Amino acid sequence: MNFNFYEAKRYKLFILIPIALLLISLVFIPHIRYDSSLAGGITVQFSTTNAITTRGLTSSMASVIPGATASVSRVGAVYTASVTIPENSSIVDANDKLLALYSDYNAYSSAELNLVSASTGLKSDPSNSTLKSELASAQANVTASLSKMSTDLGAELALLSPFISANSSAYSYNSSNAAGMLAVGKDAYSASSSAYKSKVISGMRLVVPFTSYSYEEVTPTLGAFFLNHMIQIIIASFVIIAIAVFAVFRIPIPSLAVVFGAGNDILIALGAMGAFGIPMGLASVGGLLMLIGYSIDTEMLSSIRILKRSEDTVTHRAFSTMKTGTTMTAAAIISFATLFIIAYVFYIPTYIEIAGVALFGLIGDIFTTWFGNTVMIVWYKSSREPK
């Protein structure tokens, strides 16, 4: 006969288990690293008939281009490689200066428009003190904007000098010409990006010869955009889930218990990513959203059976539900563990991220659901049953 530990009624002790996992996860979450889709970086894909392996190519590429990682797939005699490298720090900083240059130009355009407006007004009303003040302010803003543009452009060109030094005379500029300075900044950045691309491709060809390739770049600014939207999506999913759960139970404590369970699973998965070096990327976001859905499924299963049904005792219903739920979760864990092992052996980063998030999240779900959420529901239901 199976031992029903819910009958021991050591609710506070059981709840400490998922809370302890939560606290441990919080220690490792700050150590999560972002992949190129969020942190920014360059991905080059190419095909070759040369025999290559993932680990061998990663090692060779890293010796030529520091920080490079690679993955390899094979179809027949053709090997397809995907190499990811971090952005060049000078080009990243120069991109920030170029963005600042755009902002400076917008400020200049606005100030110039105000200057023209005030000048036109003074022609018809020369003694208007307000227009005179606006004219003086606009002139000062135009001068300040030009000065700021010149400073930012100079800083950008200094950062890009390793890539454009051979043709530096082409990037001279007039500090009183805003449109000209913006054009120089754009041209210098474009030329430097092309030069860096050529350097990267040449370095890769020293390791493995190839002809055709694809070159994709994600800037840190775009990566930050993706990260912000990822956070918004996860928060929105939690809000929608909380509303749906409350609509089902219409009781605060069971609803909060279900939402706590889903949130705890996500935090445990994030902690495991930080502890085991699984990178955070767009692929792992899909794994997190999938995990939210699975967590809610198991917690709703236990909560509904305990609260809505009346056969046997509360603890018996909880234990029976646990046996069903753990069987479901175990099957999912085996599936994702298999996918994780295969992805790790053949080094398929996308599958490593998805399977790693789901695998560790499901392991955490066992403790969160059956020692956290279910215990809270049993405790709540038992306290309201007649003695």
Side-chain angles (χ1 to χ4, degrees):
M1 181 177 180
N2 295 326
F3 171 67
N4 186 348
F5 61 87
Y6 292 113
E7 293 179 350
K9 298 185 178 181
R10 305 183 68 177
Y11 303 131
K12 294 180 180 179
L13 180 62
F14 293 148
I15 292 174
L16 286 177
I17 296 174
I19 291 177
L21 290 175
L22 169 63
L23 295 176
I24 294 171
S25 299
L26 293 176
V27 174
F28 291 101
I29 287 176
H31 299 287
I32 294 176
R33 62 182 179 88
Y34 300 125
D35 69 7
S36 60
S37 64
L38 296 182
I42 296 167
T43 300
V44 180
Q45 294 183 325
F46 59 86
S47 297
T48 180
T49 54
N50 291 52
I52 53 178
T53 64
T54 293
R55 301 192 188 284
L57 184 61
T58 297
S59 177
S60 300
M61 287 293 180
S63 65
V64 176
I65 306 173
T69 59
S71 62
V72 176
S73 60
R74 177 183 177 184
V75 178
V78 178
Y79 295 82
T80 300
S82 177
V83 181
T84 301
I85 63 175
E87 281 272 17
N88 179 273
S89 59
S90 294
I91 292 181
V92 170
D93 293 339
N95 180 65
D96 292 338
K97 294 299 180 182
L98 179 60
L99 293 176
L101 197 63
Y102 275 104
S103 179
D104 299 337
Y105 184 77
N106 289 336
Y108 166 80
S109 299
S110 178
E112 186 71 16
L113 181 63
N114 292 336
L115 181 64
V116 171
S117 176
S119 298
T120 303
L122 283 172
K123 288 180 180 179
S124 58
D125 188 6
S127 61
N128 190 312
S129 59
T130 301
L131 290 175
K132 290 180 179 180
S133 176
E134 290 178 356
L135 179 64
S137 177
Q139 289 174 331
N141 289 337
V142 166
T143 301
S145 298
L146 289 172
S147 177
K148 183 71 164 49
M149 286 190 73
S150 179
T151 300
D152 287 333
L153 178 57
E156 179 193 351
L157 295 177
L159 289 165
L160 299 177
S161 59
F163 305 100
I164 60 175
S165 56
N167 194 27
S168 58
S169 59
Y171 302 105
S172 58
Y173 59 91
N174 182 351
S175 60
S176 62
N177 185 345
M181 285 192 285
L182 182 61
V184 168
K186 291 163 60 178
D187 291 344
Y189 183 81
S190 178
S192 299
S193 297
S194 297
Y196 183 64
K197 175 182 176 180
S198 299
K199 180 181 178 181
V200 167
I201 298 301
S202 299
M204 289 184 178
R205 283 182 172 144
L206 293 175
V207 178
V208 181
F210 58 88
T211 52
S212 61
Y213 63 89
S214 66
Y215 185 95
E216 297 179 356
E217 180 179 3
V218 176
T219 65
T221 303
L222 184 59
F225 173 81
F226 288 150
L227 180 60
N228 290 335
H229 278 264
M230 177 195 75
I231 295 172
Q232 292 173 9
I233 289 171
I234 293 176
I235 292 174
S237 66
F238 265 104
V239 171
I240 294 171
I241 285 171
I243 294 172
V245 169
F246 188 80
V248 171
F249 293 110
R250 299 182 184 277
I251 308 172
I253 293 179
S255 302
L256 291 174
V258 171
V259 174
F260 162 77
N264 204 50
D265 287 349
I266 297 301
L267 292 174
I268 290 173
L270 292 173
M273 292 174 68
F276 296 100
I278 301 173
M280 172 69 78
L282 296 180
S284 54
V285 174
L288 289 172
L289 294 175
M290 180 171 56
L291 181 61
I292 291 174
Y294 192 93
S295 301
I296 291 296
D297 179 58
T298 55
E299 281 140 15
M300 290 292 287
L301 170 69
S302 66
S303 300
I304 290 174
R305 284 194 179 184
I306 294 169
L307 294 173
K308 303 292 186 179
R309 294 189 178 183
S310 57
E311 73 275 10
D312 297 318
T313 64
V314 174
T315 55
H316 184 275
R317 293 198 300 271
F319 189 68
S320 175
T321 304
M322 187 199 74
K323 290 191 290 185
T324 302
T326 51
T327 301
M328 294 167 49
T329 305
I333 287 174
I334 292 171
S335 299
F336 281 109
T338 303
L339 176 61
F340 184 80
I341 292 170
I342 293 173
Y344 184 80
V345 170
F346 292 99
Y347 196 74
I348 309 174
T350 299
Y351 290 160
I352 289 176
E353 289 185 21
I354 295 175
V357 168
L359 176 60
F360 290 110
L362 289 172
I363 293 173
D365 182 67
I366 291 178
F367 296 98
T368 298
T369 300
W370 309 113
F371 293 94
N373 171 263
T374 302
V375 168
M376 292 180 194
I377 300 299
V378 169
W379 194 353
Y380 170 82
K381 183 67 173 177
S382 299
S383 66
R384 276 153 181 76
E385 285 192 336
K387 301 297 181 181

PDB file of all heavy atoms in Angstrom, residues 105-131:
ATOM      1  N   TYR A 105      20.711  65.301 -34.739  1.00  0.00           N
ATOM      2  CA  TYR A 105      20.195  65.890 -35.980  1.00  0.00           C
ATOM      3  C   TYR A 105      18.714  66.252 -35.837  1.00  0.00           C
ATOM      4  O   TYR A 105      18.271  67.288 -36.362  1.00  0.00           O
ATOM      5  CB  TYR A 105      20.396  64.918 -37.136  1.00  0.00           C
ATOM      6  CG  TYR A 105      19.974  65.495 -38.471  1.00  0.00           C
ATOM      7  CD1 TYR A 105      20.778  66.412 -39.143  1.00  0.00           C
ATOM      8  CD2 TYR A 105      18.768  65.123 -39.054  1.00  0.00           C
ATOM      9  CE1 TYR A 105      20.392  66.954 -40.355  1.00  0.00           C
ATOM     10  CE2 TYR A 105      18.369  65.652 -40.274  1.00  0.00           C
ATOM     11  CZ  TYR A 105      19.185  66.569 -40.921  1.00  0.00           C
ATOM     12  OH  TYR A 105      18.791  67.117 -42.123  1.00  0.00           O
ATOM     13  N   ASN A 106      17.968  65.407 -35.140  1.00  0.00           N
ATOM     14  CA  ASN A 106      16.557  65.723 -34.886  1.00  0.00           C
ATOM     15  C   ASN A 106      16.427  66.994 -34.043  1.00  0.00           C
ATOM     16  O   ASN A 106      15.565  67.843 -34.301  1.00  0.00           O
ATOM     17  CB  ASN A 106      15.875  64.556 -34.182  1.00  0.00           C
ATOM     18  CG  ASN A 106      15.672  63.368 -35.091  1.00  0.00           C
ATOM     19  OD1 ASN A 106      15.610  63.513 -36.320  1.00  0.00           O
ATOM     20  ND2 ASN A 106      15.576  62.182 -34.519  1.00  0.00           N
ATOM     21  N   ALA A 107      17.311  67.109 -33.028  1.00  0.00           N
ATOM     22  CA  ALA A 107      17.298  68.315 -32.193  1.00  0.00           C
ATOM     23  C   ALA A 107      17.665  69.541 -33.018  1.00  0.00           C
ATOM     24  O   ALA A 107      17.073  70.625 -32.860  1.00  0.00           O
ATOM     25  CB  ALA A 107      18.262  68.142 -31.025  1.00  0.00           C
ATOM     26  N   TYR A 108      18.654  69.372 -33.919  1.00  0.00           N
ATOM     27  CA  TYR A 108      19.056  70.483 -34.794  1.00  0.00           C
ATOM     28  C   TYR A 108      17.902  70.892 -35.710  1.00  0.00           C
ATOM     29  O   TYR A 108      17.620  72.100 -35.877  1.00  0.00           O
ATOM     30  CB  TYR A 108      20.266  70.072 -35.631  1.00  0.00           C
ATOM     31  CG  TYR A 108      20.555  71.008 -36.781  1.00  0.00           C
ATOM     32  CD1 TYR A 108      21.237  72.206 -36.587  1.00  0.00           C
ATOM     33  CD2 TYR A 108      20.102  70.701 -38.069  1.00  0.00           C
ATOM     34  CE1 TYR A 108      21.468  73.079 -37.639  1.00  0.00           C
ATOM     35  CE2 TYR A 108      20.337  71.564 -39.130  1.00  0.00           C
ATOM     36  CZ  TYR A 108      21.009  72.746 -38.912  1.00  0.00           C
ATOM     37  OH  TYR A 108      21.238  73.614 -39.955  1.00  0.00           O
ATOM     38  N   SER A 109      17.226  69.914 -36.293  1.00  0.00           N
ATOM     39  CA  SER A 109      16.118  70.203 -37.213  1.00  0.00           C
ATOM     40  C   SER A 109      15.003  70.954 -36.498  1.00  0.00           C
ATOM     41  O   SER A 109      14.421  71.902 -37.037  1.00  0.00           O
ATOM     42  CB  SER A 109      15.575  68.908 -37.820  1.00  0.00           C
ATOM     43  OG  SER A 109      16.577  68.238 -38.552  1.00  0.00           O
ATOM     44  N   SER A 110      14.709  70.522 -35.270  1.00  0.00           N
ATOM     45  CA  SER A 110      13.673  71.191 -34.492  1.00  0.00           C
ATOM     46  C   SER A 110      14.073  72.627 -34.159  1.00  0.00           C
ATOM     47  O   SER A 110      13.260  73.559 -34.272  1.00  0.00           O
ATOM     48  CB  SER A 110      13.411  70.403 -33.204  1.00  0.00           C
ATOM     49  OG  SER A 110      12.448  71.043 -32.401  1.00  0.00           O
ATOM     50  N   ALA A 111      15.332  72.803 -33.770  1.00  0.00           N
ATOM     51  CA  ALA A 111      15.823  74.150 -33.442  1.00  0.00           C
ATOM     52  C   ALA A 111      15.836  75.041 -34.680  1.00  0.00           C
ATOM     53  O   ALA A 111      15.491  76.233 -34.620  1.00  0.00           O
ATOM     54  CB  ALA A 111      17.224  74.056 -32.835  1.00  0.00           C
ATOM     55  N   GLU A 112      16.217  74.462 -35.816  1.00  0.00           N
ATOM     56  CA  GLU A 112      16.245  75.224 -37.075  1.00  0.00           C
ATOM     57  C   GLU A 112      14.835  75.650 -37.479  1.00  0.00           C
ATOM     58  O   GLU A 112      14.625  76.783 -37.957  1.00  0.00           O
ATOM     59  CB  GLU A 112      16.876  74.358 -38.168  1.00  0.00           C
ATOM     60  CG  GLU A 112      17.105  75.074 -39.489  1.00  0.00           C
ATOM     61  CD  GLU A 112      18.229  76.092 -39.427  1.00  0.00           C
ATOM     62  OE1 GLU A 112      19.047  76.061 -38.480  1.00  0.00           O
ATOM     63  OE2 GLU A 112      18.283  76.939 -40.347  1.00  0.00           O
ATOM     64  N   LEU A 113      13.872  74.765 -37.264  1.00  0.00           N
ATOM     65  CA  LEU A 113      12.476  75.096 -37.574  1.00  0.00           C
ATOM     66  C   LEU A 113      11.984  76.237 -36.680  1.00  0.00           C
ATOM     67  O   LEU A 113      11.306  77.173 -37.151  1.00  0.00           O
ATOM     68  CB  LEU A 113      11.597  73.863 -37.388  1.00  0.00           C
ATOM     69  CG  LEU A 113      10.103  74.026 -37.704  1.00  0.00           C
ATOM     70  CD1 LEU A 113       9.908  74.378 -39.177  1.00  0.00           C
ATOM     71  CD2 LEU A 113       9.349  72.730 -37.366  1.00  0.00           C
ATOM     72  N   ASN A 114      12.338  76.178 -35.394  1.00  0.00           N
ATOM     73  CA  ASN A 114      11.956  77.255 -34.468  1.00  0.00           C
ATOM     74  C   ASN A 114      12.623  78.573 -34.857  1.00  0.00           C
ATOM     75  O   ASN A 114      12.026  79.655 -34.726  1.00  0.00           O
ATOM     76  CB  ASN A 114      12.333  76.886 -33.033  1.00  0.00           C
ATOM     77  CG  ASN A 114      11.508  75.738 -32.496  1.00  0.00           C
ATOM     78  OD1 ASN A 114      10.390  75.491 -32.971  1.00  0.00           O
ATOM     79  ND2 ASN A 114      12.036  75.011 -31.522  1.00  0.00           N
ATOM     80  N   LEU A 115      13.858  78.462 -35.330  1.00  0.00           N
ATOM     81  CA  LEU A 115      14.594  79.662 -35.754  1.00  0.00           C
ATOM     82  C   LEU A 115      13.910  80.328 -36.943  1.00  0.00           C
ATOM     83  O   LEU A 115      13.721  81.562 -36.968  1.00  0.00           O
ATOM     84  CB  LEU A 115      16.032  79.275 -36.110  1.00  0.00           C
ATOM     85  CG  LEU A 115      16.972  80.402 -36.564  1.00  0.00           C
ATOM     86  CD1 LEU A 115      17.176  81.403 -35.437  1.00  0.00           C
ATOM     87  CD2 LEU A 115      18.300  79.828 -37.022  1.00  0.00           C
ATOM     88  N   VAL A 116      13.531  79.525 -37.919  1.00  0.00           N
ATOM     89  CA  VAL A 116      12.857  80.061 -39.109  1.00  0.00           C
ATOM     90  C   VAL A 116      11.513  80.677 -38.725  1.00  0.00           C
ATOM     91  O   VAL A 116      11.129  81.755 -39.210  1.00  0.00           O
ATOM     92  CB  VAL A 116      12.672  78.947 -40.168  1.00  0.00           C
ATOM     93  CG1 VAL A 116      11.789  79.438 -41.309  1.00  0.00           C
ATOM     94  CG2 VAL A 116      14.018  78.498 -40.696  1.00  0.00           C
ATOM     95  N   SER A 117      10.789  79.971 -37.820  1.00  0.00           N
ATOM     96  CA  SER A 117       9.476  80.453 -37.397  1.00  0.00           C
ATOM     97  C   SER A 117       9.586  81.798 -36.688  1.00  0.00           C
ATOM     98  O   SER A 117       8.813  82.732 -36.954  1.00  0.00           O
ATOM     99  CB  SER A 117       8.823  79.420 -36.476  1.00  0.00           C
ATOM    100  OG  SER A 117       7.585  79.892 -35.982  1.00  0.00           O
ATOM    101  N   ALA A 118      10.561  81.908 -35.770  1.00  0.00           N
ATOM    102  CA  ALA A 118      10.743  83.161 -35.034  1.00  0.00           C
ATOM    103  C   ALA A 118      11.205  84.278 -35.965  1.00  0.00           C
ATOM    104  O   ALA A 118      10.748  85.435 -35.852  1.00  0.00           O
ATOM    105  CB  ALA A 118      11.750  82.957 -33.905  1.00  0.00           C
ATOM    106  N   SER A 119      12.089  83.963 -36.909  1.00  0.00           N
ATOM    107  CA  SER A 119      12.580  84.975 -37.858  1.00  0.00           C
ATOM    108  C   SER A 119      11.442  85.484 -38.738  1.00  0.00           C
ATOM    109  O   SER A 119      11.337  86.700 -39.002  1.00  0.00           O
ATOM    110  CB  SER A 119      13.685  84.387 -38.732  1.00  0.00           C
ATOM    111  OG  SER A 119      14.787  83.993 -37.948  1.00  0.00           O
ATOM    112  N   THR A 120      10.602  84.574 -39.199  1.00  0.00           N
ATOM    113  CA  THR A 120       9.460  84.965 -40.033  1.00  0.00           C
ATOM    114  C   THR A 120       8.499  85.843 -39.244  1.00  0.00           C
ATOM    115  O   THR A 120       7.972  86.850 -39.758  1.00  0.00           O
ATOM    116  CB  THR A 120       8.723  83.711 -40.544  1.00  0.00           C
ATOM    117  OG1 THR A 120       9.629  82.873 -41.256  1.00  0.00           O
ATOM    118  CG2 THR A 120       7.573  84.097 -41.446  1.00  0.00           C
ATOM    119  N   GLY A 121       8.261  85.497 -37.990  1.00  0.00           N
ATOM    120  CA  GLY A 121       7.364  86.298 -37.157  1.00  0.00           C
ATOM    121  C   GLY A 121       7.895  87.683 -36.899  1.00  0.00           C
ATOM    122  O   GLY A 121       7.133  88.662 -36.871  1.00  0.00           O
ATOM    123  N   LEU A 122       9.195  87.812 -36.722  1.00  0.00           N
ATOM    124  CA  LEU A 122       9.787  89.120 -36.438  1.00  0.00           C
ATOM    125  C   LEU A 122       9.750  90.052 -37.655  1.00  0.00           C
ATOM    126  O   LEU A 122       9.807  91.284 -37.497  1.00  0.00           O
ATOM    127  CB  LEU A 122      11.231  88.949 -35.964  1.00  0.00           C
ATOM    128  CG  LEU A 122      11.404  88.490 -34.508  1.00  0.00           C
ATOM    129  CD1 LEU A 122      12.857  88.162 -34.217  1.00  0.00           C
ATOM    130  CD2 LEU A 122      10.900  89.573 -33.547  1.00  0.00           C
ATOM    131  N   LYS A 123       9.683  89.486 -38.842  1.00  0.00           N
ATOM    132  CA  LYS A 123       9.597  90.327 -40.034  1.00  0.00           C
ATOM    133  C   LYS A 123       8.300  91.125 -40.057  1.00  0.00           C
ATOM    134  O   LYS A 123       8.268  92.271 -40.522  1.00  0.00           O
ATOM    135  CB  LYS A 123       9.701  89.463 -41.284  1.00  0.00           C
ATOM    136  CG  LYS A 123      11.092  88.904 -41.528  1.00  0.00           C
ATOM    137  CD  LYS A 123      11.127  88.051 -42.787  1.00  0.00           C
ATOM    138  CE  LYS A 123      12.540  87.492 -43.019  1.00  0.00           C
ATOM    139  NZ  LYS A 123      12.596  86.645 -44.230  1.00  0.00           N
ATOM    140  N   SER A 124       7.242  90.502 -39.567  1.00  0.00           N
ATOM    141  CA  SER A 124       5.956  91.200 -39.533  1.00  0.00           C
ATOM    142  C   SER A 124       5.731  91.940 -38.222  1.00  0.00           C
ATOM    143  O   SER A 124       4.873  92.823 -38.150  1.00  0.00           O
ATOM    144  CB  SER A 124       4.812  90.207 -39.765  1.00  0.00           C
ATOM    145  OG  SER A 124       4.849  89.187 -38.775  1.00  0.00           O
ATOM    146  N   ASP A 125       6.497  91.583 -37.184  1.00  0.00           N
ATOM    147  CA  ASP A 125       6.322  92.236 -35.868  1.00  0.00           C
ATOM    148  C   ASP A 125       7.698  92.395 -35.215  1.00  0.00           C
ATOM    149  O   ASP A 125       8.042  91.688 -34.259  1.00  0.00           O
ATOM    150  CB  ASP A 125       5.397  91.385 -34.998  1.00  0.00           C
ATOM    151  CG  ASP A 125       5.020  92.093 -33.693  1.00  0.00           C
ATOM    152  OD1 ASP A 125       5.379  93.278 -33.530  1.00  0.00           O
ATOM    153  OD2 ASP A 125       4.382  91.439 -32.834  1.00  0.00           O
ATOM    154  N   PRO A 126       8.505  93.332 -35.705  1.00  0.00           N
ATOM    155  CA  PRO A 126       9.905  93.465 -35.261  1.00  0.00           C
ATOM    156  C   PRO A 126      10.077  93.774 -33.784  1.00  0.00           C
ATOM    157  O   PRO A 126      11.137  93.478 -33.208  1.00  0.00           O
ATOM    158  CB  PRO A 126      10.445  94.609 -36.126  1.00  0.00           C
ATOM    159  CG  PRO A 126       9.512  94.704 -37.284  1.00  0.00           C
ATOM    160  CD  PRO A 126       8.171  94.307 -36.759  1.00  0.00           C
ATOM    161  N   SER A 127       9.106  94.337 -33.149  1.00  0.00           N
ATOM    162  CA  SER A 127       9.258  94.739 -31.749  1.00  0.00           C
ATOM    163  C   SER A 127       8.726  93.697 -30.756  1.00  0.00           C
ATOM    164  O   SER A 127       8.706  93.964 -29.549  1.00  0.00           O
ATOM    165  CB  SER A 127       8.529  96.071 -31.529  1.00  0.00           C
ATOM    166  OG  SER A 127       7.131  95.924 -31.807  1.00  0.00           O
ATOM    167  N   ASN A 128       8.324  92.542 -31.234  1.00  0.00           N
ATOM    168  CA  ASN A 128       7.747  91.500 -30.368  1.00  0.00           C
ATOM    169  C   ASN A 128       8.849  90.884 -29.507  1.00  0.00           C
ATOM    170  O   ASN A 128       9.731  90.185 -30.018  1.00  0.00           O
ATOM    171  CB  ASN A 128       7.060  90.438 -31.216  1.00  0.00           C
ATOM    172  CG  ASN A 128       6.238  89.476 -30.369  1.00  0.00           C
ATOM    173  OD1 ASN A 128       6.713  88.967 -29.364  1.00  0.00           O
ATOM    174  ND2 ASN A 128       5.007  89.247 -30.799  1.00  0.00           N
ATOM    175  N   SER A 129       8.810  91.141 -28.201  1.00  0.00           N
ATOM    176  CA  SER A 129       9.860  90.661 -27.297  1.00  0.00           C
ATOM    177  C   SER A 129       9.838  89.126 -27.151  1.00  0.00           C
ATOM    178  O   SER A 129      10.895  88.497 -26.974  1.00  0.00           O
ATOM    179  CB  SER A 129       9.712  91.320 -25.923  1.00  0.00           C
ATOM    180  OG  SER A 129       8.441  91.027 -25.363  1.00  0.00           O
ATOM    181  N   THR A 130       8.663  88.555 -27.208  1.00  0.00           N
ATOM    182  CA  THR A 130       8.563  87.090 -27.086  1.00  0.00           C
ATOM    183  C   THR A 130       9.247  86.405 -28.255  1.00  0.00           C
ATOM    184  O   THR A 130      10.002  85.438 -28.089  1.00  0.00           O
ATOM    185  CB  THR A 130       7.085  86.657 -27.019  1.00  0.00           C
ATOM    186  OG1 THR A 130       6.457  87.278 -25.901  1.00  0.00           O
ATOM    187  CG2 THR A 130       6.983  85.144 -26.889  1.00  0.00           C
ATOM    188  N   LEU A 131       8.993  86.926 -29.465  1.00  0.00           N
ATOM    189  CA  LEU A 131       9.633  86.345 -30.651  1.00  0.00           C
ATOM    190  C   LEU A 131      11.145  86.548 -30.622  1.00  0.00           C
ATOM    191  O   LEU A 131      11.910  85.680 -31.063  1.00  0.00           O
ATOM    192  CB  LEU A 131       9.041  86.967 -31.916  1.00  0.00           C
ATOM    193  CG  LEU A 131       7.587  86.576 -32.248  1.00  0.00           C
ATOM    194  CD1 LEU A 131       7.079  87.356 -33.456  1.00  0.00           C
ATOM    195  CD2 LEU A 131       7.500  85.074 -32.507  1.00  0.00           C
TER     196      LEU A 131
END
